[in-house]
Amino acid sequence: MTVPPDDRVFRREMATAYRSGWHFIDLVTAIPHRGDSLMVTLFGEPIVVAREEDEDVRAYRCLRRPRGAPQPVRCAIRYGMIFVNLDQRDHQMAEPDTTTATPRSA
């Protein structure tokens, strides 16, 4: 695909996608059947994208420490393409606000 360098819309969309943390992995046709998987390295991190038994496509970050279970990574399919989001802020569990306050007596 050739894009003219002065295409402002394309540059804006690419900048938005890059800032959002979503990265293109491959086409969905790369893992057509249940149990198929694809391993890629994204920014030095090994990522496994697999088609699960329920036909959903999921991505996992492979941890290098011993006995480390694969860590789920946000995965989305748009227009037949697989995207993953490696931004750590999107993967942390939000803790409820446990701020306590002592009411003042009137």
Side-chain angles (χ1 to χ4, degrees):
M1 177 170 109
T2 305
V3 178
D6 60 346
D7 187 357
R8 287 186 217 156
V9 175
F10 177 75
R11 286 194 315 243
R12 189 174 2 175
E13 287 179 5
M14 291 306 294
T16 301
Y18 184 75
R19 275 194 313 268
S20 70
W22 289 98
H23 302 283
F24 171 73
I25 297 297
D26 205 339
L27 298 175
V28 176
T29 56
I31 48 175
H33 306 290
R34 282 186 253 169
D36 289 350
S37 64
L38 173 69
M39 186 165 195
V40 296
T41 302
L42 187 62
F43 301 114
E45 294 188 43
I47 305 292
V48 173
V49 181
R51 186 173 293 273
E52 303 286 336
E53 292 299 320
D54 58 359
E55 294 290 330
D56 283 344
V57 175
R58 293 191 178 91
Y60 301 93
R61 176 182 283 127
C62 298
L63 302 178
R64 294 184 179 163
R65 61 180 179 250
R67 299 186 205 161
Q71 180 184 24
V73 175
R74 287 182 63 194
C75 181
I77 297 176
R78 297 289 184 264
Y79 308 108
M81 297 179 284
I82 302 169
F83 294 89
V84 296
N85 190 332
L86 297 181
D87 191 358
Q88 290 294 327
R89 293 172 297 182
D90 289 338
H91 303 292
Q92 294 174 354
M93 296 295 291
E95 294 182 17
D97 186 16
T98 57
T99 305
T100 58
T102 305
R104 294 183 179 177
S105 55

